[in-house]
């Protein structure tokens, strides 16, 4: 059974796309941006949800 996106601690690129309501290509562009909090396990890219939220808060324009 797949975990609810809100309860997951580590997200895939597709889950980041869904979380942010952006396209898959835009999500891959974002995770490859310098300073974006992603990590790799082999060829798989993962993102800690807490670090994603912190990154959003730090990079939000006022």
């Amino acid at each position: 059974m797949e975990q609810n996106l809100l309860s997951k601690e580590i997200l895939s690129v597709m889950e980041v796309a869904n979380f942010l309501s952006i396209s898959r290509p835009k999500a891959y562009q974002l995770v490859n941006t310098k300073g974006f909090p992603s990590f790799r396990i082999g060829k798989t890219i993962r993102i800690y949800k807490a670090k994603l939220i912190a990154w959003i808060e730090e990079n939000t324009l006022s």
Side-chain angles (χ1 to χ4, degrees):
M1 184 178 278
E2 189 173 326
Q3 281 184 315
N4 182 337
L5 184 59
L6 296 176
S7 66
K8 291 185 81 171
E9 293 184 33
I10 299 175
L11 305 175
S12 68
V13 177
M14 272 310 299
E15 289 169 331
V16 168
N18 290 333
F19 186 73
L20 298 177
S21 298
I22 60 175
S23 68
R24 181 175 175 253
K26 191 59 147 177
Y28 273 101
Q29 182 181 6
L30 182 62
V31 299
N32 287 308
T33 301
K34 185 176 180 179
F36 188 84
S38 62
F39 63 96
R40 291 184 183 268
I41 301 173
K43 292 183 177 183
T44 304
I45 301 170
R46 294 289 185 247
I47 303 91
Y48 284 107
K49 186 169 67 173
K51 290 186 177 188
L52 170 62
I53 292 168
W55 182 87
I56 291 168
E57 290 172 350
E58 291 170 8
N59 291 281
T60 299
L61 299 175
S62 297

